[in-house]
């Protein structure tokens, strides 16, 4: 069975567990570094990236999360999680994990549009996908080996690069589990290739 962890330091982690299980994999909330050894992939949830970073430092997660990604185990960053994965934030190189070659802008849709829902077409994943945005970042640019999966109003809101998947919206808050199911598939494939 494929097991996908959800980083449970802060934010919307419980809803991700439900979405992973609805997509046919096992899920566990990760609160301790040792748990990373027992999972095949990881979701970094939405929340507040600066708060989450403070907790990542407090519980010594930074280096182990970095190692996890470098081993080739997939990581899916949603909303604040996307910010944590990025190699560049708001045009500065002051970053958190810096694992994924994307340039992100925080709270990018403006205060007047704090939260909203739209139907998105996500390449190779879903058409008419019910996407919920909450104080969302967007991706300004994706590196050469990355691929844009979805845009909204001309801004990139989902991307993939090797084992890294990132989206601006919250895939765990609705009954539309197709984005999570896409990540589950990525994890199953990586598990097979890492076992070879
Ligand atoms: N605005 C938050 C941040 O900058 C992200 C919001 C979210 O995860 N819903 O971290």
């Amino acid at each position: 069975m494929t097991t996908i962890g959800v980083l449970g330091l802060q934010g919307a982690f419980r809803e991700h567990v439900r979405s992973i299980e609805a997509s046919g994999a096992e899920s566990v909330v990760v609160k301790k570094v040792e748990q990373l050894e027992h999972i095949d992939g990881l979701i970094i949830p939405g929340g507040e990236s600066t708060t989450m970073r403070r907790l990542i430092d407090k519980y010594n997660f930074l280096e182990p999360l970095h190692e996890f990604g470098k081993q080739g185990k997939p990581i899916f960053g949603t909303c604040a999680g996307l910010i944590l994965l990025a190699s560049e934030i708001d045009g500065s190189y002051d970053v958190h994990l810096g694992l994924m070659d994307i340039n992100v802008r925080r709270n990018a849709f403006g205060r007047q549009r704090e939260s909203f829902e739209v139907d998105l077409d996500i390449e190779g994943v879903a058409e008419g996908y019910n996407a919920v945005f909450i104080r969302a970042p967007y991706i300004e640019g994706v590196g050469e080996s990355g691929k844009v999966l979805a845009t909204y109003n001309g801004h990139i809101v989902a991307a993939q690069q090797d084992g890294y998947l990132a989206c601006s919206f919250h895939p765990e808050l609705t009954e539309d589990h197709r984005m999570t199911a896409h990540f589950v598939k990525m994890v199953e494939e990586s598990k097979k290739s890492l076992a070879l």
Side-chain angles (χ1 to χ4, degrees), residues 148-192:
V148 173
L149 298 186
T151 59
Y152 171 63
N153 273 357
H155 300 300
I156 304 165
V157 292
Q160 187 171 334
Q161 175 206 322
D162 309 317
Y164 302 119
L165 180 67
C167 68
S168 300
F169 47 86
H170 281 258
E172 78 286 11
L173 293 182
T174 70
E175 293 308 312
D176 194 338
H177 298 295
R178 290 176 290 174
M179 192 68 182
T180 307
H182 176 67
F183 183 64
V184 169
K185 223 188 303 149
M186 282 170 62
V187 177
E188 284 168 350
E189 278 161 18
S190 97
K191 195 179 169 183
K192 264 187 244 153

mmCIF file of all heavy atoms in Angstrom, residues 148-192:
data_model
loop_
_atom_site.group_PDB
_atom_site.id
_atom_site.type_symbol
_atom_site.label_atom_id
_atom_site.label_comp_id
_atom_site.label_asym_id
_atom_site.label_seq_id
_atom_site.Cartn_x
_atom_site.Cartn_y
_atom_site.Cartn_z
ATOM 1 N N VAL A 148 3.783 23.878 -16.753
ATOM 2 C CA VAL A 148 2.596 24.586 -16.250
ATOM 3 C C VAL A 148 1.387 23.679 -16.444
ATOM 4 O O VAL A 148 1.150 23.173 -17.538
ATOM 5 C CB VAL A 148 2.391 25.909 -17.039
ATOM 6 C CG1 VAL A 148 1.077 26.565 -16.647
ATOM 7 C CG2 VAL A 148 3.566 26.849 -16.813
ATOM 8 N N LEU A 149 0.620 23.452 -15.397
ATOM 9 C CA LEU A 149 -0.570 22.594 -15.512
ATOM 10 C C LEU A 149 -1.854 23.398 -15.620
ATOM 11 O O LEU A 149 -2.828 22.940 -16.214
ATOM 12 C CB LEU A 149 -0.679 21.653 -14.300
ATOM 13 C CG LEU A 149 0.442 20.650 -14.056
ATOM 14 C CD1 LEU A 149 0.080 19.730 -12.902
ATOM 15 C CD2 LEU A 149 0.731 19.822 -15.301
ATOM 16 N N ALA A 150 -1.876 24.586 -14.987
ATOM 17 C CA ALA A 150 -3.112 25.374 -15.043
ATOM 18 C C ALA A 150 -2.815 26.851 -14.845
ATOM 19 O O ALA A 150 -1.887 27.221 -14.122
ATOM 20 C CB ALA A 150 -4.089 24.905 -13.966
ATOM 21 N N THR A 151 -3.642 27.672 -15.507
ATOM 22 C CA THR A 151 -3.546 29.123 -15.298
ATOM 23 C C THR A 151 -4.940 29.651 -14.983
ATOM 24 O O THR A 151 -5.957 29.044 -15.352
ATOM 25 C CB THR A 151 -3.017 29.860 -16.550
ATOM 26 O OG1 THR A 151 -3.913 29.600 -17.638
ATOM 27 C CG2 THR A 151 -1.613 29.433 -16.921
ATOM 28 N N TYR A 152 -4.956 30.789 -14.299
ATOM 29 C CA TYR A 152 -6.208 31.483 -14.038
ATOM 30 C C TYR A 152 -5.946 32.967 -14.251
ATOM 31 O O TYR A 152 -4.985 33.502 -13.675
ATOM 32 C CB TYR A 152 -6.704 31.203 -12.610
ATOM 33 C CG TYR A 152 -7.868 32.071 -12.224
ATOM 34 C CD1 TYR A 152 -9.067 31.966 -12.927
ATOM 35 C CD2 TYR A 152 -7.761 33.008 -11.215
ATOM 36 C CE1 TYR A 152 -10.142 32.781 -12.619
ATOM 37 C CE2 TYR A 152 -8.829 33.829 -10.891
ATOM 38 C CZ TYR A 152 -10.017 33.712 -11.614
ATOM 39 O OH TYR A 152 -11.069 34.535 -11.311
ATOM 40 N N ASN A 153 -6.749 33.613 -15.074
ATOM 41 C CA ASN A 153 -6.544 35.025 -15.423
ATOM 42 C C ASN A 153 -5.109 35.311 -15.873
ATOM 43 O O ASN A 153 -4.528 36.329 -15.511
ATOM 44 C CB ASN A 153 -6.849 35.931 -14.222
ATOM 45 C CG ASN A 153 -8.325 36.283 -14.175
ATOM 46 O OD1 ASN A 153 -9.082 35.899 -15.057
ATOM 47 N ND2 ASN A 153 -8.721 37.010 -13.139
ATOM 48 N N GLY A 154 -4.534 34.366 -16.595
ATOM 49 C CA GLY A 154 -3.178 34.565 -17.115
ATOM 50 C C GLY A 154 -2.066 34.269 -16.113
ATOM 51 O O GLY A 154 -0.890 34.414 -16.431
ATOM 52 N N HIS A 155 -2.428 33.851 -14.906
ATOM 53 C CA HIS A 155 -1.410 33.544 -13.900
ATOM 54 C C HIS A 155 -1.334 32.037 -13.677
ATOM 55 O O HIS A 155 -2.365 31.361 -13.637
ATOM 56 C CB HIS A 155 -1.756 34.224 -12.566
ATOM 57 C CG HIS A 155 -1.837 35.708 -12.669
ATOM 58 N ND1 HIS A 155 -0.762 36.481 -13.058
ATOM 59 C CD2 HIS A 155 -2.866 36.563 -12.457
ATOM 60 C CE1 HIS A 155 -1.130 37.750 -13.072
ATOM 61 N NE2 HIS A 155 -2.409 37.835 -12.721
ATOM 62 N N ILE A 156 -0.111 31.548 -13.472
ATOM 63 C CA ILE A 156 0.074 30.105 -13.274
ATOM 64 C C ILE A 156 -0.394 29.719 -11.870
ATOM 65 O O ILE A 156 0.044 30.316 -10.878
ATOM 66 C CB ILE A 156 1.560 29.719 -13.445
ATOM 67 C CG1 ILE A 156 2.076 30.167 -14.818
ATOM 68 C CG2 ILE A 156 1.759 28.213 -13.241
ATOM 69 C CD1 ILE A 156 3.600 30.150 -14.948
ATOM 70 N N VAL A 157 -1.277 28.737 -11.798
ATOM 71 C CA VAL A 157 -1.791 28.318 -10.489
ATOM 72 C C VAL A 157 -1.546 26.837 -10.190
ATOM 73 O O VAL A 157 -1.882 26.366 -9.094
ATOM 74 C CB VAL A 157 -3.292 28.673 -10.315
ATOM 75 C CG1 VAL A 157 -3.483 30.189 -10.248
ATOM 76 C CG2 VAL A 157 -4.148 28.068 -11.419
ATOM 77 N N ALA A 158 -0.947 26.112 -11.127
ATOM 78 C CA ALA A 158 -0.539 24.732 -10.848
ATOM 79 C C ALA A 158 0.631 24.372 -11.756
ATOM 80 O O ALA A 158 0.659 24.768 -12.929
ATOM 81 C CB ALA A 158 -1.690 23.751 -11.070
ATOM 82 N N ALA A 159 1.620 23.656 -11.195
ATOM 83 C CA ALA A 159 2.803 23.280 -11.970
ATOM 84 C C ALA A 159 3.394 21.987 -11.425
ATOM 85 O O ALA A 159 3.111 21.591 -10.281
ATOM 86 C CB ALA A 159 3.846 24.395 -11.919
ATOM 87 N N GLN A 160 4.207 21.360 -12.281
ATOM 88 C CA GLN A 160 4.848 20.103 -11.888
ATOM 89 C C GLN A 160 6.279 20.099 -12.407
ATOM 90 O O GLN A 160 6.565 20.609 -13.498
ATOM 91 C CB GLN A 160 4.057 18.932 -12.493
ATOM 92 C CG GLN A 160 4.530 17.579 -12.031
ATOM 93 C CD GLN A 160 3.569 16.473 -12.486
ATOM 94 O OE1 GLN A 160 2.392 16.703 -12.706
ATOM 95 N NE2 GLN A 160 4.097 15.277 -12.614
ATOM 96 N N GLN A 161 7.175 19.540 -11.603
ATOM 97 C CA GLN A 161 8.570 19.408 -12.034
ATOM 98 C C GLN A 161 9.106 18.149 -11.376
ATOM 99 O O GLN A 161 9.196 18.087 -10.148
ATOM 100 C CB GLN A 161 9.376 20.634 -11.593
ATOM 101 C CG GLN A 161 10.856 20.553 -11.885
ATOM 102 C CD GLN A 161 11.655 21.423 -10.916
ATOM 103 O OE1 GLN A 161 11.238 22.511 -10.553
ATOM 104 N NE2 GLN A 161 12.790 20.921 -10.487
ATOM 105 N N ASP A 162 9.420 17.153 -12.173
ATOM 106 C CA ASP A 162 9.838 15.840 -11.648
ATOM 107 C C ASP A 162 8.828 15.381 -10.585
ATOM 108 O O ASP A 162 7.651 15.326 -10.845
ATOM 109 C CB ASP A 162 11.264 15.912 -11.089
ATOM 110 C CG ASP A 162 12.228 16.540 -12.097
ATOM 111 O OD1 ASP A 162 12.130 16.176 -13.279
ATOM 112 O OD2 ASP A 162 13.039 17.395 -11.706
ATOM 113 N N GLY A 163 9.313 15.125 -9.379
ATOM 114 C CA GLY A 163 8.421 14.643 -8.314
ATOM 115 C C GLY A 163 7.725 15.753 -7.533
ATOM 116 O O GLY A 163 7.091 15.486 -6.518
ATOM 117 N N TYR A 164 7.863 16.964 -7.982
ATOM 118 C CA TYR A 164 7.255 18.083 -7.250
ATOM 119 C C TYR A 164 5.993 18.563 -7.956
ATOM 120 O O TYR A 164 6.002 18.810 -9.157
ATOM 121 C CB TYR A 164 8.239 19.247 -7.115
ATOM 122 C CG TYR A 164 9.520 18.861 -6.428
ATOM 123 C CD1 TYR A 164 10.743 18.966 -7.071
ATOM 124 C CD2 TYR A 164 9.496 18.352 -5.128
ATOM 125 C CE1 TYR A 164 11.926 18.590 -6.441
ATOM 126 C CE2 TYR A 164 10.664 17.975 -4.495
ATOM 127 C CZ TYR A 164 11.881 18.096 -5.159
ATOM 128 O OH TYR A 164 13.039 17.724 -4.533
ATOM 129 N N LEU A 165 4.941 18.697 -7.160
ATOM 130 C CA LEU A 165 3.669 19.194 -7.664
ATOM 131 C C LEU A 165 3.285 20.373 -6.782
ATOM 132 O O LEU A 165 3.496 20.332 -5.561
ATOM 133 C CB LEU A 165 2.629 18.065 -7.558
ATOM 134 C CG LEU A 165 1.209 18.353 -8.026
ATOM 135 C CD1 LEU A 165 1.173 18.577 -9.547
ATOM 136 C CD2 LEU A 165 0.284 17.167 -7.677
ATOM 137 N N ALA A 166 2.768 21.431 -7.386
ATOM 138 C CA ALA A 166 2.401 22.600 -6.583
ATOM 139 C C ALA A 166 1.145 23.237 -7.139
ATOM 140 O O ALA A 166 0.944 23.285 -8.357
ATOM 141 C CB ALA A 166 3.540 23.625 -6.613
ATOM 142 N N CYS A 167 0.270 23.692 -6.249
ATOM 143 C CA CYS A 167 -0.897 24.444 -6.710
ATOM 144 C C CYS A 167 -1.237 25.554 -5.732
ATOM 145 O O CYS A 167 -0.959 25.459 -4.537
ATOM 146 C CB CYS A 167 -2.084 23.534 -6.990
ATOM 147 S SG CYS A 167 -2.812 22.758 -5.557
ATOM 148 N N SER A 168 -1.828 26.620 -6.269
ATOM 149 C CA SER A 168 -2.194 27.797 -5.482
ATOM 150 C C SER A 168 -3.456 27.572 -4.659
ATOM 151 O O SER A 168 -3.706 28.290 -3.711
ATOM 152 C CB SER A 168 -2.506 28.965 -6.424
ATOM 153 O OG SER A 168 -1.408 29.278 -7.197
ATOM 154 N N PHE A 169 -4.269 26.613 -5.120
ATOM 155 C CA PHE A 169 -5.583 26.411 -4.500
ATOM 156 C C PHE A 169 -5.544 25.277 -3.487
ATOM 157 O O PHE A 169 -4.492 24.668 -3.244
ATOM 158 C CB PHE A 169 -6.641 26.174 -5.591
ATOM 159 C CG PHE A 169 -6.212 25.181 -6.638
ATOM 160 C CD1 PHE A 169 -6.398 23.828 -6.456
ATOM 161 C CD2 PHE A 169 -5.581 25.622 -7.808
ATOM 162 C CE1 PHE A 169 -5.999 22.917 -7.417
ATOM 163 C CE2 PHE A 169 -5.162 24.706 -8.780
ATOM 164 C CZ PHE A 169 -5.378 23.363 -8.577
ATOM 165 N N HIS A 170 -6.710 25.001 -2.886
ATOM 166 C CA HIS A 170 -6.824 24.000 -1.811
ATOM 167 C C HIS A 170 -7.539 22.746 -2.325
ATOM 168 O O HIS A 170 -8.772 22.708 -2.303
ATOM 169 C CB HIS A 170 -7.624 24.592 -0.647
ATOM 170 C CG HIS A 170 -6.835 25.505 0.216
ATOM 171 N ND1 HIS A 170 -6.323 25.123 1.434
ATOM 172 C CD2 HIS A 170 -6.444 26.786 0.031
ATOM 173 C CE1 HIS A 170 -5.661 26.130 1.969
ATOM 174 N NE2 HIS A 170 -5.718 27.162 1.146
ATOM 175 N N PRO A 171 -6.807 21.726 -2.747
ATOM 176 C CA PRO A 171 -7.471 20.542 -3.317
ATOM 177 C C PRO A 171 -8.173 19.669 -2.279
ATOM 178 O O PRO A 171 -8.870 18.723 -2.630
ATOM 179 C CB PRO A 171 -6.315 19.778 -3.974
ATOM 180 C CG PRO A 171 -5.129 20.172 -3.193
ATOM 181 C CD PRO A 171 -5.352 21.595 -2.755
ATOM 182 N N GLU A 172 -8.001 19.993 -1.011
ATOM 183 C CA GLU A 172 -8.545 19.146 0.063
ATOM 184 C C GLU A 172 -9.905 19.625 0.568
ATOM 185 O O GLU A 172 -10.522 18.971 1.388
ATOM 186 C CB GLU A 172 -7.538 19.099 1.233
ATOM 187 C CG GLU A 172 -7.503 20.324 2.149
ATOM 188 C CD GLU A 172 -6.828 21.569 1.554
ATOM 189 O OE1 GLU A 172 -6.553 21.580 0.344
ATOM 190 O OE2 GLU A 172 -6.610 22.539 2.300
ATOM 191 N N LEU A 173 -10.361 20.794 0.086
ATOM 192 C CA LEU A 173 -11.550 21.397 0.696
ATOM 193 C C LEU A 173 -12.866 21.085 -0.001
ATOM 194 O O LEU A 173 -13.917 21.510 0.453
ATOM 195 C CB LEU A 173 -11.382 22.922 0.795
ATOM 196 C CG LEU A 173 -10.290 23.399 1.760
ATOM 197 C CD1 LEU A 173 -10.259 24.924 1.818
ATOM 198 C CD2 LEU A 173 -10.483 22.831 3.159
ATOM 199 N N THR A 174 -12.793 20.362 -1.114
ATOM 200 C CA THR A 174 -14.049 20.027 -1.805
ATOM 201 C C THR A 174 -14.117 18.503 -1.977
ATOM 202 O O THR A 174 -13.216 17.781 -1.552
ATOM 203 C CB THR A 174 -14.106 20.672 -3.211
ATOM 204 O OG1 THR A 174 -13.141 19.999 -4.036
ATOM 205 C CG2 THR A 174 -13.801 22.155 -3.165
ATOM 206 N N GLU A 175 -15.163 18.065 -2.656
ATOM 207 C CA GLU A 175 -15.282 16.625 -2.941
ATOM 208 C C GLU A 175 -14.588 16.279 -4.258
ATOM 209 O O GLU A 175 -14.640 15.129 -4.698
ATOM 210 C CB GLU A 175 -16.758 16.226 -2.996
ATOM 211 C CG GLU A 175 -17.479 16.336 -1.651
ATOM 212 C CD GLU A 175 -16.738 15.611 -0.530
ATOM 213 O OE1 GLU A 175 -16.345 14.447 -0.730
ATOM 214 O OE2 GLU A 175 -16.544 16.231 0.546
ATOM 215 N N ASP A 176 -13.969 17.268 -4.886
ATOM 216 C CA ASP A 176 -13.275 17.026 -6.157
ATOM 217 C C ASP A 176 -11.842 16.585 -5.835
ATOM 218 O O ASP A 176 -10.972 17.410 -5.559
ATOM 219 C CB ASP A 176 -13.288 18.318 -6.997
ATOM 220 C CG ASP A 176 -12.906 18.072 -8.453
ATOM 221 O OD1 ASP A 176 -12.242 17.043 -8.712
ATOM 222 O OD2 ASP A 176 -13.254 18.892 -9.313
ATOM 223 N N HIS A 177 -11.618 15.282 -5.850
ATOM 224 C CA HIS A 177 -10.323 14.744 -5.399
ATOM 225 C C HIS A 177 -9.346 14.489 -6.552
ATOM 226 O O HIS A 177 -8.339 13.820 -6.366
ATOM 227 C CB HIS A 177 -10.545 13.447 -4.606
ATOM 228 C CG HIS A 177 -11.363 13.659 -3.359
ATOM 229 N ND1 HIS A 177 -10.924 14.427 -2.311
ATOM 230 C CD2 HIS A 177 -12.600 13.222 -3.025
ATOM 231 C CE1 HIS A 177 -11.848 14.455 -1.360
ATOM 232 N NE2 HIS A 177 -12.876 13.744 -1.779
ATOM 233 N N ARG A 178 -9.632 15.018 -7.748
ATOM 234 C CA ARG A 178 -8.822 14.637 -8.914
ATOM 235 C C ARG A 178 -7.378 15.130 -8.840
ATOM 236 O O ARG A 178 -6.478 14.476 -9.349
ATOM 237 C CB ARG A 178 -9.502 15.124 -10.203
ATOM 238 C CG ARG A 178 -10.769 14.339 -10.513
ATOM 239 C CD ARG A 178 -11.479 14.876 -11.726
ATOM 240 N NE ARG A 178 -12.089 16.179 -11.484
ATOM 241 C CZ ARG A 178 -12.677 16.914 -12.423
ATOM 242 N NH1 ARG A 178 -12.705 16.475 -13.681
ATOM 243 N NH2 ARG A 178 -13.215 18.078 -12.128
ATOM 244 N N MET A 179 -7.152 16.266 -8.186
ATOM 245 C CA MET A 179 -5.764 16.767 -8.068
ATOM 246 C C MET A 179 -4.994 15.872 -7.090
ATOM 247 O O MET A 179 -3.843 15.502 -7.345
ATOM 248 C CB MET A 179 -5.812 18.225 -7.591
ATOM 249 C CG MET A 179 -4.496 18.955 -7.703
ATOM 250 S SD MET A 179 -3.962 19.245 -9.411
ATOM 251 C CE MET A 179 -2.397 20.040 -9.097
ATOM 252 N N THR A 180 -5.619 15.519 -5.988
ATOM 253 C CA THR A 180 -4.978 14.603 -5.024
ATOM 254 C C THR A 180 -4.720 13.242 -5.683
ATOM 255 O O THR A 180 -3.643 12.662 -5.503
ATOM 256 C CB THR A 180 -5.869 14.421 -3.774
ATOM 257 O OG1 THR A 180 -6.197 15.714 -3.254
ATOM 258 C CG2 THR A 180 -5.173 13.612 -2.702
ATOM 259 N N ALA A 181 -5.703 12.783 -6.471
ATOM 260 C CA ALA A 181 -5.546 11.480 -7.145
ATOM 261 C C ALA A 181 -4.350 11.524 -8.110
ATOM 262 O O ALA A 181 -3.620 10.535 -8.256
ATOM 263 C CB ALA A 181 -6.825 11.116 -7.889
ATOM 264 N N HIS A 182 -4.136 12.662 -8.741
ATOM 265 C CA HIS A 182 -2.979 12.818 -9.633
ATOM 266 C C HIS A 182 -1.681 12.661 -8.829
ATOM 267 O O HIS A 182 -0.746 11.976 -9.255
ATOM 268 C CB HIS A 182 -3.035 14.199 -10.302
ATOM 269 C CG HIS A 182 -1.848 14.505 -11.152
ATOM 270 N ND1 HIS A 182 -1.577 13.825 -12.326
ATOM 271 C CD2 HIS A 182 -0.831 15.399 -10.998
ATOM 272 C CE1 HIS A 182 -0.453 14.301 -12.851
ATOM 273 N NE2 HIS A 182 0.022 15.252 -12.060
ATOM 274 N N PHE A 183 -1.650 13.251 -7.651
ATOM 275 C CA PHE A 183 -0.443 13.128 -6.813
ATOM 276 C C PHE A 183 -0.263 11.687 -6.341
ATOM 277 O O PHE A 183 0.857 11.162 -6.347
ATOM 278 C CB PHE A 183 -0.517 14.099 -5.626
ATOM 279 C CG PHE A 183 0.732 14.052 -4.773
ATOM 280 C CD1 PHE A 183 1.962 14.431 -5.290
ATOM 281 C CD2 PHE A 183 0.679 13.607 -3.450
ATOM 282 C CE1 PHE A 183 3.122 14.373 -4.517
ATOM 283 C CE2 PHE A 183 1.834 13.555 -2.672
ATOM 284 C CZ PHE A 183 3.049 13.936 -3.205
ATOM 285 N N VAL A 184 -1.349 11.038 -5.977
ATOM 286 C CA VAL A 184 -1.265 9.632 -5.544
ATOM 287 C C VAL A 184 -0.626 8.801 -6.674
ATOM 288 O O VAL A 184 0.260 7.976 -6.430
ATOM 289 C CB VAL A 184 -2.661 9.074 -5.153
ATOM 290 C CG1 VAL A 184 -2.613 7.557 -4.958
ATOM 291 C CG2 VAL A 184 -3.175 9.771 -3.883
ATOM 292 N N LYS A 185 -1.033 9.075 -7.904
ATOM 293 C CA LYS A 185 -0.467 8.353 -9.047
ATOM 294 C C LYS A 185 1.038 8.626 -9.173
ATOM 295 O O LYS A 185 1.846 7.728 -9.407
ATOM 296 C CB LYS A 185 -1.194 8.757 -10.338
ATOM 297 C CG LYS A 185 -1.480 7.569 -11.204
ATOM 298 C CD LYS A 185 -2.030 7.909 -12.578
ATOM 299 C CE LYS A 185 -3.304 8.727 -12.570
ATOM 300 N NZ LYS A 185 -3.409 9.624 -13.741
ATOM 301 N N MET A 186 1.427 9.887 -9.002
ATOM 302 C CA MET A 186 2.865 10.238 -9.050
ATOM 303 C C MET A 186 3.647 9.462 -7.988
ATOM 304 O O MET A 186 4.756 8.982 -8.231
ATOM 305 C CB MET A 186 3.068 11.738 -8.768
ATOM 306 C CG MET A 186 2.760 12.653 -9.928
ATOM 307 S SD MET A 186 2.745 14.416 -9.412
ATOM 308 C CE MET A 186 4.444 14.657 -8.861
ATOM 309 N N VAL A 187 3.064 9.354 -6.799
ATOM 310 C CA VAL A 187 3.756 8.667 -5.697
ATOM 311 C C VAL A 187 3.856 7.168 -5.995
ATOM 312 O O VAL A 187 4.912 6.555 -5.790
ATOM 313 C CB VAL A 187 3.047 8.922 -4.344
ATOM 314 C CG1 VAL A 187 3.717 8.144 -3.224
ATOM 315 C CG2 VAL A 187 3.024 10.414 -4.017
ATOM 316 N N GLU A 188 2.778 6.599 -6.538
ATOM 317 C CA GLU A 188 2.815 5.162 -6.862
ATOM 318 C C GLU A 188 3.897 4.881 -7.903
ATOM 319 O O GLU A 188 4.641 3.904 -7.796
ATOM 320 C CB GLU A 188 1.440 4.708 -7.376
ATOM 321 C CG GLU A 188 0.440 4.571 -6.238
ATOM 322 C CD GLU A 188 -1.011 4.417 -6.702
ATOM 323 O OE1 GLU A 188 -1.298 4.597 -7.911
ATOM 324 O OE2 GLU A 188 -1.857 4.146 -5.842
ATOM 325 N N GLU A 189 3.989 5.758 -8.909
ATOM 326 C CA GLU A 189 5.009 5.562 -9.945
ATOM 327 C C GLU A 189 6.428 5.705 -9.378
ATOM 328 O O GLU A 189 7.317 4.931 -9.699
ATOM 329 C CB GLU A 189 4.784 6.541 -11.108
ATOM 330 C CG GLU A 189 3.719 6.011 -12.046
ATOM 331 C CD GLU A 189 3.110 7.077 -12.939
ATOM 332 O OE1 GLU A 189 3.719 8.150 -13.100
ATOM 333 O OE2 GLU A 189 2.004 6.809 -13.468
ATOM 334 N N SER A 190 6.620 6.702 -8.511
ATOM 335 C CA SER A 190 7.969 6.896 -7.957
ATOM 336 C C SER A 190 8.339 5.722 -7.055
ATOM 337 O O SER A 190 9.484 5.288 -7.016
ATOM 338 C CB SER A 190 8.072 8.220 -7.202
ATOM 339 O OG SER A 190 7.887 8.035 -5.833
ATOM 340 N N LYS A 191 7.349 5.206 -6.346
ATOM 341 C CA LYS A 191 7.604 4.069 -5.461
ATOM 342 C C LYS A 191 8.123 2.874 -6.272
ATOM 343 O O LYS A 191 9.088 2.225 -5.900
ATOM 344 C CB LYS A 191 6.305 3.709 -4.727
ATOM 345 C CG LYS A 191 6.512 2.815 -3.534
ATOM 346 C CD LYS A 191 5.216 2.508 -2.839
ATOM 347 C CE LYS A 191 5.444 1.407 -1.832
ATOM 348 N NZ LYS A 191 4.197 1.018 -1.165
ATOM 349 N N LYS A 192 7.486 2.663 -7.418
ATOM 350 C CA LYS A 192 7.920 1.566 -8.301
ATOM 351 C C LYS A 192 9.334 1.801 -8.800
ATOM 352 O O LYS A 192 10.180 0.922 -8.760
ATOM 353 C CB LYS A 192 6.974 1.466 -9.513
ATOM 354 C CG LYS A 192 5.883 0.434 -9.309
ATOM 355 C CD LYS A 192 5.094 0.244 -10.587
ATOM 356 C CE LYS A 192 3.649 0.673 -10.365
ATOM 357 N NZ LYS A 192 2.973 1.134 -11.576
#
